[in-house]
Amino acid sequence: MQKIIYTLTLLLLASCGQQKSEQTTTVAVSDTSVTVSETSATNNNRTDEHNLTGEQKKNPNDFLPKGFVVFEKISGDLNRDGTEDCVLIIKGTDKKQIITDEYRGKLDRNRRGIIILFDKKNHFELVVKNENCFSSENEDGGVYAAPELSVEIKKGNLYVNYAQGRYGYRQYNFRYKESDFELIGYDESNGGAVIDSEISINFLTKKKQEKFNTNENAQGGDEVFKETWKEINVNRLIKLSEIKDFDELDMSVY
C-alpha cells in the first residue's frame, strides 16, 4: 500500500512540474486571442507583422493597420495563378510627423509601407506587410532631387523603383517564394541625358555587371561604355518583409 501511495505522489509532482514549465503567452491576432508556448514566442525571430501572413479578409482596406491610410493601390498577378492580386502602398498619419519647412511650407514626413495581398476569389490573403520601409514623399533631397517612389508589377514580379530625375534611378526586382518576396535583381543608373555609369546585379546567378562611360564629351546617346563582370557572394536572398528602410540598403557590398 505504501508503494502505491509513493508512486502516486511522484506522478503528481511530475505533472505539476510539467505544467509549471509550459507557461503560455496570449497573443492577439485580428481581435482573436491565440495561445502559444513561451518557448515558441521567444525563439521566433521573424517580425510580428510577418507572423500575420495567411490572414484573410474580404476587402483589401480591412488589412490597413491603425493609423495608416492607402497612399496607392496596384493590381497584377504576383503568384502566376491568373488572378489579379493587390498591392497597397500605405502611409502613416501621425500628426507629429507633419513639419513646417522654411521654404516648402507644411510637409507630411510620415513614412510609407507596403501590404501585398493574394486574391483568393472570395477573399484576400495577406502575404507581406512592412509598414515603414519607404521614406515619405516629402523628403529633403539636399542638393539632389528627392527620389520618387513607384511600384509596379511586371511578368509576375514586383518592382520597386526610385527615380531621381537627371541623377538617375535605382530599381529592385522581387519574386514571390515561400510566403515572402525575395530580392532577385537590382539595377542602378547614374546620370540622366548622359549616363555616367550603370550597375546590374543578378542575385540568382550571383553576377554583377558594371558599365562606365569613357566618353567625357558625350551629349547623350553617344556614350562609350567600358563593361566589366564579376561574381558576387550571396549567402541568402533579402526578403521584402525584413527590409527596415530601402534608403539604407547598401548594394555596394556586392
Side-chain angles (χ1 to χ4, degrees):
M1 185 67 177
Q2 289 180 344
K3 278 188 176 182
I4 294 174
I5 294 173
Y6 179 70
T7 302
L8 288 172
T9 302
L10 288 178
L11 288 173
L12 285 170
L13 288 173
S15 176
C16 291
Q18 184 178 8
Q19 290 177 0
K20 189 174 182 179
S21 64
E22 291 181 353
Q23 295 178 348
T24 59
T25 300
T26 300
V27 180
V29 179
S30 301
D31 300 326
T32 303
S33 293
V34 180
T35 302
V36 296
S37 71
E38 188 73 39
T39 303
S40 298
T42 302
N43 292 337
N44 192 348
N45 293 322
R46 309 211 70 174
T47 62
D48 290 339
E49 289 84 2
H50 196 72
N51 287 339
L52 296 176
T53 54
E55 184 180 358
Q56 300 176 1
K57 295 181 184 295
K58 291 287 186 180
N59 192 317
N61 285 8
D62 293 338
F63 290 91
L64 276 174
K66 185 178 180 180
F68 284 82
V69 295
V70 175
F71 184 81
E72 185 181 3
K73 182 178 178 181
I74 302 104
S75 298
D77 187 2
L78 283 166
N79 56 351
R80 304 174 191 273
D81 65 351
T83 303
E84 295 250 308
D85 302 305
C86 179
V87 176
L88 300 178
I89 304 302
I90 62 175
K91 183 175 175 65
T93 58
D94 186 355
K95 292 181 179 179
K96 294 179 182 178
Q97 298 302 319
I98 299 177
I99 66 163
T100 301
D101 182 82
E102 181 180 0
Y103 302 103
R104 301 167 64 191
K106 279 193 174 182
L107 297 175
D108 185 348
R109 289 283 175 80
N110 278 285
R111 294 182 64 82
R112 295 170 291 178
I114 187 169
I115 295 176
I116 300 179
L117 309 168
F118 283 167
D119 189 342
K120 297 296 185 179
K121 303 295 187 182
N122 60 348
H123 65 270
F124 286 90
E125 182 176 286
L126 177 63
V127 184
V128 169
K129 178 165 68 173
N130 190 331
E131 296 179 4
N132 298 289
C133 57
F134 304 128
S135 57
S136 139
E137 72 278 17
N138 296 310
E139 292 301 313
D140 185 358
V143 296
Y144 302 100
E148 183 178 344
L149 169 70
S150 66
V151 178
E152 60 181 331
I153 298 171
K154 294 189 300 185
K155 297 181 179 179
N157 288 358
L158 180 77
Y159 289 85
V160 174
N161 307 301
Y162 279 98
Q164 206 162 358
R166 61 191 181 92
Y167 299 105
Y169 69 86
R170 63 187 195 270
Q171 181 183 76
Y172 305 85
N173 179 6
F174 292 89
R175 184 177 69 181
Y176 174 67
K177 185 178 181 182
E178 297 177 358
S179 301
D180 210 324
F181 280 78
E182 296 178 334
L183 181 63
I184 63 171
Y186 173 76
D187 291 281
E188 175 185 307
S189 177
N190 295 295
V194 178
I195 299 173
D196 297 320
S197 64
E198 291 182 331
I199 294 173
S200 183
I201 302 175
N202 188 320
F203 293 102
L204 298 178
T205 62
K206 300 182 180 181
K207 292 185 181 298
K208 178 179 181 179
Q209 179 195 47
E210 295 180 280
K211 296 167 66 177
F212 298 93
N213 176 32
T214 59
N215 181 7
E216 296 180 358
N217 299 315
Q219 298 298 312
D222 56 355
E223 297 93 341
V224 178
F225 291 104
K226 178 182 179 181
E227 181 179 318
T228 61
W229 287 84
K230 74 172 186 178
E231 293 187 0
I232 59 174
N233 184 30
V234 181
N235 295 321
R236 65 184 294 271
L237 297 180
I238 297 173
K239 297 181 185 297
L240 178 57
S241 66
E242 300 171 347
I243 298 175
K244 292 183 178 180
D245 190 338
F246 270 85
D247 294 335
E248 294 180 0
L249 283 180
D250 185 4
M251 295 293 107
S252 66
V253 299
Y254 297 102

